[in-house]
Amino acid sequence: MKQAIWLIMPLLLLGGCAQEAEPVPAEGNRPEGATPLLVENAVLESGVVTRATTTLTTSGVQIGIFRTAGTGYTGVQNNIPYKYSSSAWAPTSSTNPVWLLPADVDVCAYYPYNSTYTDKTAIPLATAVYTTAGDICFAGNRTMNGTPSMKSTVFAMKRVMAKMRFTLKKGDYPGTCSVSKIKLENSKLTTKGTVDITDIDNEAIITETGGTFDYAPSTSGGSVSATAAGVATREVLLLPFEFDTDGKLTVTLTVDTKDMQLDLPAATFTGSKIEPGKFYQLTVKLNGTKLEVTGVTIEEWDNIQLSDSGGSDYKPSPSS
């Protein structure tokens, strides 16, 4: 009898250990028959024919995911954060993944994550000095469910905004060449908008047309002193737009407290547009009586050359 008890006890202990190991994170609030959405990867697509990509696999990076409510689902799931760490993507809260049932639902995602976003059809956008938070990228709806072949996905995202940077070079300008402000003007230049991330082909929806955007070129909010070698200014995010009938982007530099103006014809920009996912790099030479653009480079944002030179020179007639 004692021998039988000793034989049974290890089995009971093993059973107890197995019982303790069985629960998985989020099991407590798992809907019946549901499985968590698996994110294989999240990448930024360049938009070129080769579809080159930049992966978002930096530890701590977060994306936000929205899920609709299909047959059998009790409701939607809005803005559920997933984080990359330890070489894998997982829900930031293990108790709150995106749940999938056998029935189909639509799922979309965006980057970078912002806890205040509640409406996937109106993610806010703004023309502003570049910040990571303002550089919105998204992957539109795809159909998913909880079956083995449909529960995981790669979110291939595209950028909504354009980026622009000026490199200031001192020519024969006689002063100190201190630039304290850069102003961009066009009647179609817009300052605020939204994007519907459910539709991969959806363009930004403009909610405010400003026509003018100005900013301090220095990272500290101060001035930049142009040199013969050139000094790069702060990069700015621009809502995409198509040039109006006046056909130009007016650039005004405040140099030693005086304004110097330059008009860039629409033909400077491919298709007479400021396009999403493009990085516009313009080199401006400051002379005694005028500004000259000596270099215009337009690159796919994810394939940019880390240089301020190159591209076809372009010298417009400066404004008086």
Side-chain angles (χ1 to χ4, degrees):
M1 184 66 179
K2 286 184 179 181
Q3 186 176 5
I5 292 173
W6 283 110
L7 288 172
I8 291 170
M9 284 185 68
L11 294 176
L12 292 174
L13 290 171
L14 285 172
C17 292
Q19 190 172 10
E20 290 176 5
E22 187 179 26
V24 297
E27 191 71 26
N29 82 345
R30 180 194 294 264
E32 185 176 353
T35 188
L37 164 69
L38 300 179
V39 177
E40 296 177 34
N41 206 351
V43 298
L44 299 180
E45 290 193 335
S46 70
V48 296
V49 175
T50 56
R51 307 303 288 174
T53 58
T54 300
T55 184
L56 294 174
T57 52
T58 300
S59 183
V61 164
Q62 292 189 96
I63 61 174
I65 302 175
F66 289 80
R67 192 214 68 198
T68 59
T71 303
Y73 291 82
T74 57
V76 301
Q77 284 188 283
N78 286 334
N79 206 17
I80 305 300
Y82 272 57
K83 181 188 291 187
Y84 183 83
S85 60
S86 303
S87 302
W89 288 91
T92 303
S93 169
S94 61
T95 60
N96 189 34
V98 172
W99 292 113
L100 298 174
L101 293 171
D104 289 348
V105 286
D106 288 330
V107 175
C108 60
Y110 74 94
Y111 166 82
Y113 175 73
N114 186 317
S115 62
T116 66
Y117 296 163
T118 57
D119 186 354
K120 62 189 173 185
T121 66
I123 299 295
L125 307 170
T127 291
V129 170
Y130 181 88
T131 61
T132 300
D135 182 10
I136 303 297
C137 312
F138 74 97
N141 274 348
R142 73 279 320 280
T143 300
M144 301 189 69
N145 59 50
T147 63
S149 62
M150 296 284 286
K151 67 181 181 179
S152 63
T153 189
V154 173
F155 287 116
M157 302 194 184
K158 68 172 186 176
R159 279 189 161 96
V160 181
M161 306 292 282
K163 183 164 66 172
M164 185 174 287
R165 181 180 70 194
F166 291 93
T167 296
L168 308 178
K169 289 190 175 184
K170 184 176 181 180
D172 59 10
Y173 183 83
T176 58
C177 219
S178 176
V179 180
S180 58
K181 186 169 72 173
I182 298 176
K183 181 166 67 174
L184 309 177
E185 293 178 273
N186 182 277
S187 61
K188 294 296 182 70
L189 189 154
T190 51
T191 55
K192 292 183 181 179
T194 62
V195 64
D196 179 351
I197 67 169
T198 66
D199 183 355
I200 194 67
D201 296 318
N202 189 69
E203 297 181 354
I205 300 170
I206 305 307
T207 56
E208 181 177 328
T209 301
T212 301
F213 172 67
D214 60 69
Y215 62 101
S218 171
T219 55
S220 62
S223 61
V224 166
S225 294
T227 65
V231 178
T233 65
R234 283 199 284 184
E235 295 165 350
V236 297
L237 291 167
L238 295 174
L239 274 157
F241 67 93
E242 186 170 358
F243 288 91
D244 61 11
T245 53
D246 65 18
K248 63 185 179 181
L249 178 67
T250 299
V251 180
T252 303
L253 304 182
T254 302
V255 186
D256 297 334
T257 72
K258 296 181 180 180
D259 289 345
M260 299 180 71
Q261 184 175 300
L262 172 71
D263 290 334
L264 294 172
T268 308
F269 306 95
T270 305
S272 298
K273 298 176 181 179
I274 299 296
E275 298 181 275
K278 293 291 195 297
F279 183 18
Y280 299 88
Q281 302 176 75
L282 298 96
T283 301
V284 180
K285 182 182 287 187
L286 286 71
N287 291 322
T289 59
K290 63 181 181 180
L291 303 177
E292 287 183 285
V293 169
T294 61
V296 177
T297 305
I298 303 172
E299 301 282 354
E300 293 293 341
W301 195 328
D302 297 315
N303 296 325
I304 62 170
Q305 300 297 316
L306 299 179
S307 170
D308 296 323
S309 61
S312 300
D313 282 356
Y314 164 68
K315 296 183 179 181
S317 299
S319 301
S320 57

